[in-house]
Amino acid sequence: MNMRTVLSGALLVLLTVVVSARAQAPAQPAASRYVSVIGTVEKVDSAAKTFTLKTDKGEEPTLKFDDKTQFLNLPAGEKDTKKATRAAVADVSPGDRVIARMRAEDETGLPAVFLYFEKKTDLAQRQKKTEEEWQTQSVYGTVKSVDAAAKSVVIAVRGGFGPPKDVTLDAAGSVEYQRFSLDSGKYEPSSAGLALIQTGDQVRLLGQKNADQTQIKLEAIQSGTFKSLPVTVKSVDSAAGMIVATDLTTKKPITINIKPDTQLKRLDDATALVMARRLNPTFQNETGRGGRGGRGGQEGPAPGGAATGGGLAGRGGQAGAGRGGRNADPNKLLDQQPTIGLADLKAGEPVVVTGGASSDMAKLTATSVVAGVDPILRAAPDRGADPLAGNWNFGELGGGQE
């Protein structure tokens, strides 16, 4: 047998093995036959068998359906499509949220194969319930450390006017993350997970607490890097949603942007005095140290005729006790105060603003603006916490700067 015969035989065997291997190899998975179109229903035309959506990107595609389209109703907020129930086109209304599954070869020309929808009314009820949970069950804190590998966050929580305590957040499960946006002034969803959270961030969260509330199984968290500072109002533009002010710490001008979600509050006299006395127990609501008054350096009593000493001092203690007194959560105490409009703020009035600031501190997108703070700004003692000496917030009134 010559060499050519050997090579030819080997080649034949190799070819046979390759062909056999190809025949036995599993077929490659086919590309997905469907694409999804997500949005809010603008119009349903049953006669033309079309529905118009407005997507989250602002597009308004018109999609088709036919007798074979499967309409499936999802409970509001449910992500598991297996929990959807059978429905009909008559059950879909403007305002409903939908996910239409279309054939990939022509998602607008061919009828939808599946149409999952959440009812507008169900979404509204869920949103109301969520808002109530944020108001009544949320926890505020400042981030001390983040362990991404262990999916754990330690925050300092001030449950009242006393010193803060450490609370460990377990972020191992499904968590809804939101981050404050300077552009919109809202907490916006993010898929970045724990990468969003930074040491020093202020957070607000929902979750399952253990018995002594030292650990929380995290369900949702809102985070942001915020500044709190006292300012004096120079002018207010209600139409533009803007306050021009002077930062009382740096004496520099600052522009404060007011968004629809910005909280505007005015402390009642009794609450302001209670908070002031947390800073300085001897405070009598008279001119503060060094002659510094409450209106950008002017002397005189707080607005609204707040008494100095006597009557209001007694009422202040009672009012504070009625809202939780020494153990009150300052953030929740603030929630209870009267809401005001931007036009209610006057030039020369001191306020405390909190929000996301630009790097040069020339602009701030406010999450809250609190008026009626004259007594608090005048109460800082000669030694100890000084609200004019740096970042200031209601959580620091119990024990001063840390």
Side-chain angles (χ1 to χ4, degrees):
M1 181 178 297
N2 60 28
M3 184 60 67
R4 180 176 295 178
T5 303
V6 174
L7 291 175
S8 297
L11 184 60
L12 179 61
V13 172
L14 179 61
L15 182 61
T16 302
V17 171
V18 171
V19 171
S20 176
R22 287 182 175 176
Q24 296 176 14
Q28 293 296 317
S32 175
R33 295 185 300 150
Y34 301 99
V35 294
S36 296
V37 180
I38 305 173
T40 302
V41 176
E42 294 278 293
K43 178 181 178 182
V44 179
D45 189 334
S46 298
K49 292 190 174 182
T50 62
F51 50 91
T52 303
L53 300 183
K54 185 171 185 178
T55 69
D56 296 339
K57 295 181 179 180
E59 301 167 344
E60 296 188 0
T62 297
L63 308 179
K64 298 178 181 179
F65 63 88
D66 61 13
D67 295 337
K68 295 181 180 180
T69 300
Q70 296 186 44
F71 291 87
L72 299 157
N73 183 202
L74 273 169
E78 182 58 61
K79 298 179 181 180
D80 186 356
T81 57
K82 294 180 180 179
K83 295 184 179 180
T85 57
R86 293 275 184 173
V89 63
D91 299 317
V92 182
S93 307
D96 293 350
R97 287 283 292 178
V98 305
I99 301 176
R101 294 285 283 166
M102 327 295 298
R103 294 195 182 278
E105 57 265 32
D106 187 356
E107 67 261 31
T108 58
L110 296 175
V113 179
F114 301 98
L115 190 138
Y116 296 92
F117 65 97
E118 298 170 304
K119 292 299 297 177
K120 177 182 179 180
T121 51
D122 294 342
L123 289 168
Q125 290 177 0
R126 181 174 183 270
Q127 182 177 358
K128 181 179 179 181
K129 181 181 178 181
T130 300
E131 290 174 352
E132 290 174 351
E133 289 176 347
W134 278 112
Q135 288 293 328
T136 60
Q137 301 177 31
S138 60
V139 176
Y140 298 83
T142 302
V143 176
K144 295 184 67 176
S145 65
V146 180
D147 188 336
K151 294 187 180 298
S152 175
V153 180
V154 177
I155 64 174
V157 176
R158 194 185 297 276
F161 286 107
K165 68 175 183 179
D166 287 357
V167 176
T168 300
L169 309 181
D170 177 2
S174 176
V175 179
E176 178 184 349
Y177 292 91
Q178 297 181 20
R179 186 76 177 176
F180 183 75
S181 167
L182 292 180
D183 294 329
S184 67
K186 296 182 178 181
Y187 289 97
E188 298 183 349
S190 174
S191 59
L194 278 182
L196 279 178
I197 313 299
Q198 306 169 25
T199 301
D201 279 356
Q202 285 78 54
V203 296
R204 184 185 186 198
L205 57 101
L206 292 173
Q208 298 297 318
K209 309 176 184 70
N210 66 351
D212 61 0
Q213 298 191 22
T214 57
Q215 295 184 348
I216 300 177
K217 181 68 174 177
L218 198 58
E219 296 175 354
I221 185 167
Q222 298 174 334
S223 66
T225 301
F226 299 107
K227 297 288 186 181
S228 293
L229 60 152
V231 304
T232 299
V233 176
K234 293 181 65 177
S235 64
V236 175
D237 187 337
S238 297
M242 183 182 299
I243 300 172
V244 176
T246 300
D247 183 337
L248 290 176
T249 303
T250 64
K251 310 305 179 186
K252 294 181 179 180
I254 184 170
T255 299
I256 302 161
N257 294 316
I258 306 299
K259 300 293 184 178
D261 290 343
T262 301
Q263 188 180 45
L264 289 98
K265 295 283 187 175
R266 183 180 296 279
L267 300 181
D268 59 53
D269 293 339
T271 299
L273 187 55
V274 168
M275 288 184 167
R277 285 184 170 171
R278 303 316 302 170
L279 277 175
N280 182 0
T282 64
F283 177 67
Q284 295 298 317
N285 205 16
E286 297 173 344
T287 300
R289 61 180 174 188
R292 176 165 50 205
R295 291 182 175 272
Q298 300 174 11
E299 298 184 4
T308 57
L312 185 56
R315 282 198 306 113
Q318 295 173 1
R323 294 180 177 87
R326 297 178 65 88
N327 296 320
D329 182 331
N331 292 289
K332 292 182 179 178
L333 187 60
L334 180 60
D335 288 339
Q336 298 169 0
Q337 297 303 295
T339 298
I340 60 174
L342 188 54
D344 294 324
L345 299 177
K346 306 302 180 185
E349 181 175 11
V351 298
V352 170
V353 296
T354 299
S358 60
S359 57
D360 60 0
M361 292 298 294
K363 297 180 180 179
L364 181 142
T365 300
T367 57
S368 68
V369 177
V370 183
V373 297
D374 301 45
I376 298 171
L377 298 182
R378 295 205 307 268
D382 291 330
R383 295 177 179 86
D386 184 352
L388 303 184
N391 294 338
W392 181 85
N393 60 57
F394 287 98
E396 292 176 346
L397 291 179
Q401 305 281 1
E402 296 179 4

